[in-house]
Structure formats: C-alpha cells, structure tokens
Amino acid sequence: MPGTEPCKQGHFVAILEGREVLSSAEALHTHIVCSTGMCGQLLFNDLAIGKKEYIVGYGIDGYAGMETICATLILPAAAKKGVILPANLSNVFVSPDHIGTDLILAQLSIPFYYQERYSFKWIALFPGEFNDQMCHGKNVLAVSKSYIPQHCGNILLKNIPERLSRFETYTLVHGIGLDAFHVPDYSKQVSYCTFIVWRSNVYIGTTGVSSFYSKNYVNECVFAHL
C-alpha cells in the first residue's frame, strides 16, 4: 500500500506446505520485506516443485505472526511452468446501492487463513483520492471497527459526522488491528477503494454500535433510491 513502511512495520512473506496457513511454526521459510518500494521479488529455494503443494502468504505485521496475512497464493503440485497463478487478495468494495446520507455498507473479503489476534477489522472513510497520508490517519471522516471471525461479509459505517456530498470523491480503507488505545492502527492497511457519490440515498435507520453481517443485507436500515 502507498505510504507504508514495510521494514518498520514488519511486512513478511512466508511459504508453507499444503493449502492452508496455520501458524508461524508451520512456515518452511519466512522473509521480512525490507524494501522501500511497493513491489519486488523474493526467492524461496529447497522446494519440491511439481511434487508438493505450497501456499505463499503476505503479511503486514511479522511480529504477530500468521494472524496478519492479507494475501495468499496457492502453488499446486500440477501447476504448469510459465502459467500465472491467481492470488487471493484482501478487498473492500462499496456498491452505489449501499451509500446513504451518513452511512456506508461496505463489502469486505480477506483470504481464508488462521486468525486469532487480529480478528478486529476496521474501515475508515477519508475525503478525496487515496494518498500516503491516510496511513497516518490524516483527515479521517469516520471509522467503524468490528470483530469479524469470518473471512467475508459486510461491515457498516454509520453516523458519518459530515454527510456524504453528491458528486464528491471519497476513499474507504480497510485495515486490521488496534493500537494500545483500542483505536484503528492506520499503519496496518491492507486494501482500499475510491468512489464517487453519484446519487443520493434516503434511509430510515436506528442508532447503535457498528455491526458485522455475514449476509448481504442490513437489519438496521432500509435504503430508498431517489
């Protein structure tokens, strides 16, 4: 993610045998990412390519172990040389139908992996296009944090103090983990989406704490399109 500091924040890439990420002790090799760039290459050797299956995981906080993996890549034993393998990435998405006057229902997905310490996920809303200052929590408009044991579903951001303006651009950032004060650690960002509010939605809702829903509906508000 732009603006992050991989070495300082303990970004790492690990490879494990099989199709599941279990724990740090199961990793065959682990590399700490010390590059300051946003892309690069790492070499894993002493593998039985073509005979065993492997899974590669990218994590953003090596000090916490495998609980912070936000992208995975499976290397099947039958994989053909030269064929590009698809990665399973963390993602956050906002449908135009789920943008209200002061609320957003975001769709969230993360790779299926063993998670425990960082079950707390959060989304934060910022004005404008994505920029590297967002990893410091600059100009955040609203935040919603939830305990999410599942690896996909919806997360609701309610009661945005400054109502969303039509035709304005916003960025929604998804991250994991809280700091010592139990607020989002903005340096642990894993995905984002930028969107424009093209139309107005009127909603009827109730107040309450932010919640996580495992299905694509909300039981606290009703959207009506104008």
Side-chain angles (χ1 to χ4, degrees):
M1 293 280 285
T4 57
E5 301 177 67
C7 189
K8 181 179 179 181
Q9 297 165 2
H11 290 209
F12 70 95
V13 181
I15 187 168
L16 304 92
E17 188 175 328
R19 284 179 171 261
E20 296 183 358
V21 176
L22 299 176
S23 67
S24 301
E26 302 290 335
L28 301 176
H29 303 283
T30 301
H31 288 298
I32 299 297
V33 179
C34 291
S35 171
T36 57
M38 292 178 58
C39 60
Q41 295 181 341
L42 288 172
L43 175 64
F44 293 103
N45 52 21
D46 298 325
L47 304 176
I49 302 296
K51 298 180 180 179
K52 297 181 179 180
E53 289 189 326
Y54 297 96
I55 182 170
V56 182
Y58 186 94
I60 65 173
D61 187 359
Y63 311 110
M66 299 300 176
E67 292 85 353
T68 61
I69 284 181
C70 55
T72 57
L73 174 68
I74 294 177
L75 177 62
K80 301 295 183 180
K81 184 178 179 180
V83 176
I84 298 177
L85 302 174
N88 186 6
L89 307 176
S90 296
N91 186 39
V92 61
F93 175 76
V94 181
S95 168
D97 294 335
H98 294 157
I99 300 174
T101 52
D102 69 346
L103 64 79
I104 292 174
L105 180 66
Q107 298 174 338
L108 190 67
S109 65
I110 55 177
F112 185 77
Y113 59 89
Y114 173 82
Q115 55 176 342
E116 180 178 351
R117 183 179 304 181
Y118 281 92
S119 293
F120 276 102
K121 309 295 186 292
W122 53 265
I123 57 173
L125 181 68
F126 297 85
E129 300 278 352
F130 185 88
N131 61 75
D132 57 8
Q133 293 301 308
M134 293 179 183
C135 68
H136 303 293
K138 299 292 185 181
N139 301 321
V140 61
L141 298 178
V143 175
S144 178
K145 53 185 180 180
S146 295
Y147 177 80
I148 305 176
Q150 295 92 343
H151 62 95
C152 63
N154 298 333
I155 182 170
L156 184 63
L157 179 63
K158 300 195 304 181
N159 303 324
I160 301 172
E162 298 181 11
R163 293 174 179 267
L164 299 177
S165 300
R166 196 175 185 185
F167 307 127
E168 291 296 324
T169 300
Y170 297 91
T171 294
L172 195 65
V173 176
H174 155 227
I176 59 177
L178 308 178
D179 63 15
F181 300 99
H182 299 285
V183 298
D185 186 345
Y186 293 103
S187 67
K188 294 182 173 64
Q189 301 178 357
V190 297
S191 61
Y192 74 91
C193 69
T194 298
F195 61 94
I196 299 175
V197 180
W198 290 112
R199 61 183 177 182
S200 299
N201 288 340
V202 175
Y203 71 92
I204 302 172
T206 60
T207 59
V209 297
S210 299
S211 303
F212 173 78
Y213 305 94
S214 59
K215 295 183 180 179
N216 193 20
Y217 64 85
V218 187
N219 59 8
E220 294 187 7
C221 58
V222 176
F223 289 89
H225 309 299
L226 299 181

